[in-house]
Amino acid sequence: MAGRAHADAGSEGLPQANVKRVVKEKLAELAHEHFDDDRKEKDVLVNKDALLAFSESAKIFIHFLSATANEICRESKRQTINADDVLKAVEELDFPEFCEPLKAALAGFRKENDAKKQDSKRKEVARKRKAGDSNGTDGDIHVNGRLDEAVTMAEDEGFTD
Amino acid sequence: MAAHQMPTPAPGMPHPSAVIPPQYAHSQPQPQLHYQHLQKQQLQTFWQQQMQEIEQVNEFRNHQLPLARIKKIMKSDEDVKMIAAEAPVLFAKACEMFILELTLRSWIHTEENKRRTLQRNDIAGAITRGDIFDFLVDIVPRDELKDEDLAVPWTGVPGEPVPYGNMYYPPVAGQPMHHGMPPEMMVGQPALAQNPQMMYQPPQQGNMQ
């Protein structure tokens, strides 16, 4: 198929199952909203090539959005693409209607992240207390615990190079 | 509730007798039972709160698209170096919305052609309409379009049967459709708005649910 030859072969795409789920849920929603006859509950089928096209398109979208966000980031003389860069990129690519839902997603993520941090702080306090109660060298336990935590948090923070 | 003997309270837990409210102190024959009941209550409340918290954040934790894979795709571009933790979350959401938008527009194409299967050419058709999907023009190129797409766009004559109910989705010339709004509101400015022959129903404000 000529179409597929144009697809970006450089990177692996999104998992088909996930893409399929998003597409099919939307189609079901559309059928439900628009029809009052037997089509209302009937499945709209998606052929395999179409699914691939959805995946490929999504991948290209990510590349396009990344490149744009990256540009915006560079223009601000920064190295790390942050949330604002992404939001600006989305507007630049002419998808302004995405902005509000994205901001909501961002707020939710930040809230969840804060909750996680609170939680791990609580655990650390409990761990310290426990270590303090036990006999023997708690110094080692402390340091190891801390290090593990630091590594995990760094991974969680997602700072990649 | 099992009436077994309560073992010595775990370290840090209040002594059973300390928990019994004064009004029960004289009439409570088994302090251990009451303490168990209170503990159970406390645990119940605790887990209720936990579930509430989980449900609140679940809406955002419930990503349809895997963050790790998205990050991988982003990084396959050599120019992209450092990405803050928040970025893949936004990308996942944006990507999901993009797929939804593309699905909608492709579906319109499927319906216009009275098919029950969404095909690749429906996506190609959606891409050629409007400007916002121009970046995809190479992915699903025009040669994928079939004869049905190369026909003259329907301009409509009053009285002529209209595809699927009374709604006709005219080609949207560069006007992004608003995701999340009710379908009736999805119809943007028609490209041929001045054409009096166009059987176009304006969005029904009153139909919003």
Side-chain angles (χ1 to χ4, degrees):
Chain A
M1 294 240 177
R4 255 176 259 173
H6 293 269
D8 177 14
S11 61
E12 189 191 349
L14 293 165
Q16 286 291 83
N18 300 59
V19 175
K20 186 172 183 178
R21 197 188 314 142
V22 175
V23 171
K24 296 216 75 162
E25 279 177 6
K26 181 64 176 175
L27 290 175
E29 180 192 309
L30 287 168
H32 202 81
E33 283 172 353
H34 279 269
F35 300 126
D36 279 318
D37 52 20
D38 64 317
R39 288 174 298 178
K40 192 182 178 105
E41 303 297 337
K42 217 170 172 190
D43 255 358
V44 175
L45 306 169
V46 184
N47 96 16
K48 229 193 283 182
D49 279 342
L51 262 177
L52 279 171
F54 276 120
S55 292
E56 288 158 11
S57 304
K59 189 168 78 163
I60 298 304
F61 175 75
I62 293 173
H63 282 312
F64 197 25
L65 193 60
S66 302
T68 310
N70 203 28
E71 273 293 309
I72 292 169
C73 175
R74 292 281 180 80
E75 274 168 24
S76 316
K77 309 278 202 303
R78 275 180 288 105
Q79 300 293 337
T80 310
I81 299 179
N82 65 21
D84 268 329
D85 297 329
V86 182
L87 289 171
K88 288 206 185 96
V90 159
E91 276 193 43
E92 187 153 318
L93 293 192
D94 238 342
F95 291 98
E97 69 273 23
F98 286 10
C99 285
E100 283 312 308
L102 283 179
K103 286 181 189 159
L106 182 61
F109 171 76
R110 284 177 173 163
K111 181 177 169 187
E112 178 192 323
N113 226 33
D114 286 341
K116 255 197 227 167
K117 282 183 183 158
Q118 296 276 25
D119 210 41
S120 65
K121 269 194 192 140
R122 231 182 287 143
K123 283 181 183 160
E124 198 190 331
V125 168
R127 204 184 299 148
K128 277 186 184 165
R129 200 191 293 156
K130 210 177 174 186
D133 282 349
S134 66
N135 301 326
T137 51
D138 62 345
D140 282 349
I141 299 168
H142 252 220
V143 169
N144 284 344
R146 276 276 186 80
L147 271 178
D148 280 349
E149 183 122 292
V151 168
T152 316
M153 285 194 71
E155 278 170 9
D156 277 8
E157 290 301 301
F159 287 116
T160 50
D161 47 13
Chain B
M1 208 185 319
H4 60 266
Q5 284 290 349
M6 184 71 179
T8 348
M13 292 287 213
H15 193 274
S17 58
V19 186
I20 302 170
Q23 61 264 43
Y24 293 125
H26 60 278
S27 61
Q28 189 62 261
Q30 290 163 294
Q32 291 93 342
L33 262 186
H34 187 76
Y35 170 63
Q36 267 188 307
H37 180 69
L38 281 169
Q39 190 180 37
K40 195 169 182 179
Q41 257 183 356
Q42 278 171 350
L43 280 172
Q44 250 177 3
T45 315
F46 170 73
W47 284 115
Q48 256 168 26
Q49 281 171 348
Q50 284 296 303
M51 282 312 293
Q52 267 171 15
E53 232 177 75
I54 289 169
E55 271 161 48
Q56 266 171 12
V57 296
N58 213 31
E59 198 191 311
F60 307 103
R61 197 178 285 168
N62 210 13
H63 299 127
Q64 290 264 39
L65 304 170
L67 295 185
R69 190 72 71 90
I70 292 195
K71 201 155 120 182
K72 219 173 175 185
I73 296 173
M74 286 172 78
K75 299 216 71 193
S76 67
D77 179 350
E78 283 170 358
D79 286 339
V80 175
K81 297 262 158 44
M82 307 255 301
I83 309 167
E86 299 176 329
V89 173
L90 292 183
F91 268 84
K93 188 77 189 160
C95 197
E96 184 187 324
M97 290 194 281
F98 166 79
I99 296 172
L100 291 172
E101 179 89 29
L102 189 56
T103 303
L104 165 71
R105 296 193 187 207
S106 305
W107 174 78
I108 290 169
H109 200 270
T110 313
E111 289 300 322
E112 278 175 354
N113 294 294
K114 298 188 170 74
R115 279 185 277 102
R116 296 303 294 163
T117 303
L118 198 159
Q119 298 169 352
R120 199 173 172 107
N121 67 302
D122 291 320
I123 302 175
I127 289 170
T128 55
R129 287 183 183 172
D131 298 329
I132 63 166
F133 289 146
D134 276 352
F135 66 96
L136 291 171
V137 143
D138 290 331
I139 304 307
V140 196
R142 272 199 83 96
D143 55 72
E144 296 263 353
L145 295 174
K146 295 185 178 161
D147 288 336
E148 59 191 16
D149 297 298
L150 298 174
V152 174
W154 186 78
T155 50
V157 167
E160 202 179 282
V162 182
Y164 55 94
N166 278 328
M167 294 304 291
Y168 170 68
Y169 293 80
V172 189
Q175 195 91 332
M177 288 187 174
H178 294 278
H179 174 77
M181 297 182 75
E184 287 76 13
M185 298 286 282
M186 293 296 270
V187 189
Q189 298 302 313
L192 307 165
Q194 284 73 35
N195 187 346
Q197 289 186 317
M198 197 74 143
M199 268 180 78
Y200 163 61
Q201 259 194 347
Q204 304 284 331
Q205 296 280 359
N207 282 353
M208 279 194 71
Q209 280 164 0

